[in-house]
Amino acid sequence: MISNLTLSPLPITKAPLREVLSPRYIPNPTPVEVPRTLPKEAVTSHLTWPADTELLGLVFEVTPRAADYLYAQYTIGLHAWFLDQVRQADPELSAYLHDVQTEKPFTLSGLEGKLVSCGKDFQLQPGETYRWYVTALSKPVVQFLQQWVKQLPETIALRKAPLEIRSCKISIAPTTYRQLFASQDMNSSTLQLSFMTPTSFRRKKHHFPLPVPANVFHSYLRRWNDFSGMNIDRDLFLKWVEESVLIHRHELQSAKVAAGKKGMVTGFTGLVEFGLSRQSGEVPEFERLFYTLGQFAPYCGTGHKTTFGLGQTRLGWSIEEAIPIPSIQGMLAERIGELTELFIGQRKRKGGDRAREIAETWATILARRELGESLQAIASDLQMPYQTVKTYAKLARRALKV
């Protein structure tokens, strides 16, 4: 069952987005309160952790230089900036992080703090501190972070909104996979998880916005098997999850958000308390693994697109801390979703991944153009040639007129 392990047990007729959005400020109804800025000298980091560390969480406290504006999908910029930092320090690791088609050995959050919707953008608040979380799931990424934090850049270079780095701290304790497995308290009766940002799974090529135990723990298991060096038999464990893991209570709400480089995601946020059936103890190593993967969740995140801010997960029942979804992101997601279904419906061959991929790309480009973003900026985010994005925008507009 566990090998190499000796431990025991957005209808289309609506106006374009920029005609819908009001230029007035729409304050976030439930802002997240965060501390004021720290002294500039706090950017100097002397963080250390054991050389064998494989799992680690960091939190950066950042402040805007002025009342700058962030575009709706700014998490793409955070993702690109981080990978460029890796490229400058370790080209080989950078190539791996770009090219790997399986699980990514890191997660990135969006900015946690007071983001005010202002027309088509977010306005950052001068003097406000924002938090940005980075986690590492493998030793090579941890080793990069160890060198990186010793000489951090002064700013995170986001488009038109540079953020000054004020501090870097450990947010989740450094550990190894074996230590995590060995340290579980088997006397605990439940596992409480808070899903702070929209969380979703891929199921039959669609989004599945429900925390069904098999989906939740399969999400964690994939990352565990990729990076821990302790392989778990997927089929046996998921069968045990189906039979043994229960949902005791939950408080959930659905949300749509534009996430990643293209398309939109229907996800959920909220709280879930998982428990075990009486028969769960018949396979004690799986029972231990259940609690281990729960502790693993804050490091690896839940579901997909965790390197673009989705699936941020914390231990405990943290309803007061739930991160609100800015209105502009929801509106952009709704528009992308509507346009995607329109473009798919217009195609003679509606099936297949290729048709949906093209429809999502057209929809993302057109929706962002409706917000007033330049084709050059969109091309940069999507990592596509400018002429291709320009052609797709023309085709999408033409299709919208049909």
Side-chain angles (χ1 to χ4, degrees):
M1 298 178 185
I2 305 179
S3 63
N4 301 321
L5 182 60
T6 58
L7 297 171
S8 60
L10 156 77
I12 292 302
T13 54
K14 291 183 180 178
L17 277 178
R18 59 182 170 185
E19 297 179 18
V20 175
L21 293 169
S22 169
R24 64 186 176 86
Y25 295 171
I26 307 173
N28 190 318
T30 53
V32 176
E33 294 297 329
V34 294
R36 291 298 175 183
T37 58
L38 298 175
K40 180 61 181 291
E41 57 268 19
V43 71
T44 301
S45 173
H46 301 286
L47 297 178
T48 61
W49 44 78
D52 63 346
T53 298
E54 298 169 316
L55 295 164
L56 175 70
L58 298 178
V59 56
F60 295 81
E61 293 187 321
V62 301
T63 59
R65 293 177 173 177
D68 293 322
Y69 295 87
L70 285 175
Y71 63 113
Q73 290 187 277
Y74 73 89
T75 55
I76 301 175
L78 284 171
H79 180 271
W81 182 83
F82 177 76
L83 289 182
D84 188 59
Q85 292 292 300
V86 178
R87 179 192 60 79
Q88 293 179 44
D90 189 338
E92 185 176 350
L93 176 60
S94 174
Y96 169 76
L97 297 181
H98 272 286
D99 299 338
V100 63
Q101 297 300 309
T102 54
E103 301 300 326
K104 304 291 187 181
F106 69 99
T107 74
L108 303 175
S109 76
L111 296 179
E112 182 180 319
K114 189 181 296 184
L115 292 176
V116 178
S117 294
C118 180
K120 62 183 178 63
D121 298 312
F122 303 129
Q123 186 177 39
L124 295 166
Q125 305 299 294
E128 193 72 28
T129 298
Y130 297 85
R131 292 188 176 96
W132 180 51
Y133 295 87
V134 177
T135 69
L137 313 181
S138 71
K139 186 178 290 187
V141 179
V142 171
Q143 291 172 340
F144 157 72
L145 293 177
Q146 179 71 85
Q147 297 304 312
W148 187 48
V149 298
K150 292 178 180 178
Q151 194 173 6
L152 286 169
E154 290 187 1
T155 60
I156 297 175
L158 285 180
R159 188 201 313 167
K160 299 180 180 179
L163 299 169
E164 292 188 356
I165 299 176
R166 294 293 187 175
S167 75
C168 175
K169 303 175 183 177
I170 292 175
S171 61
I172 318 178
T175 190
T176 69
Y177 285 91
R178 291 183 178 272
Q179 290 169 355
L180 195 68
F181 187 86
S183 65
Q184 295 315 302
D185 179 7
M186 300 298 288
N187 295 321
S188 177
S189 59
T190 62
L191 172 63
Q192 298 176 341
L193 295 176
S194 298
F195 302 95
M196 313 304 294
T197 59
T199 303
S200 185
F201 310 97
R202 294 296 291 177
R203 182 177 179 181
K204 297 181 180 180
K205 302 178 182 180
H206 295 283
H207 304 298
F208 187 75
L210 288 172
V212 173
N215 294 85
V216 172
F217 288 91
H218 188 202
S219 169
Y220 305 147
L221 183 64
R222 293 198 312 269
R223 295 161 171 92
W224 181 275
N225 278 350
D226 272 11
F227 306 119
S228 71
M230 298 183 288
N231 192 57
I232 311 298
D233 188 302
R234 182 194 64 178
D235 294 337
L236 285 178
F237 178 67
L238 292 182
K239 181 180 179 181
W240 178 87
V241 169
E242 291 278 8
E243 296 172 348
S244 304
V245 180
L246 312 173
I247 294 179
H248 284 185
R249 59 174 176 153
H250 65 80
E251 294 183 22
L252 300 173
Q253 62 181 9
S254 62
K256 290 186 178 181
V257 62
K261 295 180 180 179
K262 58 185 177 181
M264 52 77 66
V265 169
T266 301
F268 65 90
T269 58
L271 321 167
V272 180
E273 182 177 85
F274 297 102
L276 295 175
S277 69
R278 293 181 179 178
Q279 294 76 29
S280 64
E282 294 176 0
V283 189
E285 57 189 340
F286 281 174
E287 188 173 36
R288 178 178 288 273
L289 182 62
F290 164 79
Y291 291 109
T292 301
L293 293 181
Q295 299 293 318
F296 183 45
Y299 294 98
C300 70
T302 308
H304 64 152
K305 297 184 182 293
T306 55
T307 60
F308 292 94
L310 296 194
Q312 290 281 298
T313 307
R314 296 177 187 168
L315 288 168
W317 199 260
S318 306
I319 191 168
E320 297 84 1
E321 300 179 19
I323 301 171
I325 302 168
S327 60
I328 181 60
Q329 284 188 337
M331 295 181 72
L332 179 59
E334 291 280 357
R335 185 58 168 168
I336 291 174
E338 290 176 353
L339 291 171
T340 298
E341 295 307 313
L342 171 68
F343 297 149
I344 289 176
Q346 288 178 338
R347 300 182 70 84
K348 294 181 180 180
R349 297 179 61 184
K350 301 178 183 179
D353 295 340
R354 179 62 177 167
R356 175 161 289 276
E357 182 180 352
I358 293 174
E360 287 184 343
T361 303
W362 286 16
T364 301
I365 292 170
L366 185 57
R368 292 180 63 174
R369 283 295 292 143
E370 288 178 349
L371 283 177
E373 290 195 60
S374 71
L375 288 174
Q376 190 66 59
I378 297 171
S380 177
D381 275 355
L382 300 184
Q383 296 184 328
M384 295 173 59
Y386 170 81
Q387 288 300 329
T388 301
V389 171
K390 183 177 180 180
T391 299
Y392 281 3
K394 289 180 179 179
L395 292 171
R397 289 195 196 96
R398 190 179 303 164
L400 195 59
K401 294 178 181 179
V402 174

